[in-house]
Amino acid sequence: MNIIFLDIDGVLNSHRKLIEVYKKTHKPHSGYNYPFDEICLNNLKELVEKTNSKIVITSSWRKDEEGRTKIIQTLKDYSLDQYIIGYTPILHQKRGIEIKAYLDTL
């Protein structure tokens, strides 16, 4: 099985998109209001479909309900929610250790 361990910040939201949205709205965005980048989402969709991959969320956004809801809704808008198979455990360790812990459960 191919798995994409997905982070959000800097992967599905970009500095370019933040500047684009700020120029239109003149409002700062941060936290879960940070705008997702359509180009990045389309790239993820293409990657998932071409590699027949599943998605495991590794982002710190997975740590609370608001963050998880925002991720799922955004991925659903791109028909990517169906590929989510889980989240890495929250071990308060480096991300690589959390990914290894997830892989150890397979």
Side-chain angles (χ1 to χ4, degrees):
M1 171 173 34
N2 296 322
I3 300 174
I4 296 171
F5 289 95
L6 184 63
D7 190 17
I8 300 300
D9 294 322
V11 177
L12 293 184
N13 53 34
S14 67
H15 189 67
R16 180 197 63 78
K17 183 65 177 181
L18 180 64
I19 291 170
E20 177 186 312
V21 170
Y22 182 79
K23 284 180 180 178
K24 290 179 184 175
T25 65
H26 300 289
K27 295 178 184 176
H29 294 81
S30 63
Y32 301 131
N33 293 318
Y34 203 100
F36 281 72
D37 190 321
E38 298 87 1
I39 294 170
C40 297
L41 285 157
N42 284 319
N43 287 341
L44 175 62
K45 184 171 183 166
E46 182 178 353
L47 178 65
V48 166
E49 290 173 350
K50 283 188 175 183
T51 62
N52 192 32
S53 294
K54 302 298 182 192
I55 297 172
V56 173
I57 308 297
T58 63
S59 174
S60 60
W61 289 39
R62 77 191 191 288
K63 294 180 180 180
D64 63 57
E65 187 63 33
E66 184 181 1
R68 288 188 303 271
T69 299
K70 177 71 174 189
I71 292 168
I72 291 169
Q73 184 55 56
T74 301
L75 294 180
K76 188 175 188 176
D77 291 344
Y78 286 78
S79 300
L80 287 164
D81 58 313
Q82 64 189 316
Y83 299 103
I84 299 171
I85 60 169
Y87 302 87
T88 51
I90 300 168
L91 303 175
H92 306 289
Q93 299 285 325
K94 291 184 179 182
R95 191 155 302 166
I97 293 171
E98 294 175 335
I99 290 170
K100 181 170 183 334
Y102 180 87
L103 289 170
D104 288 343
T105 67
L106 298 180

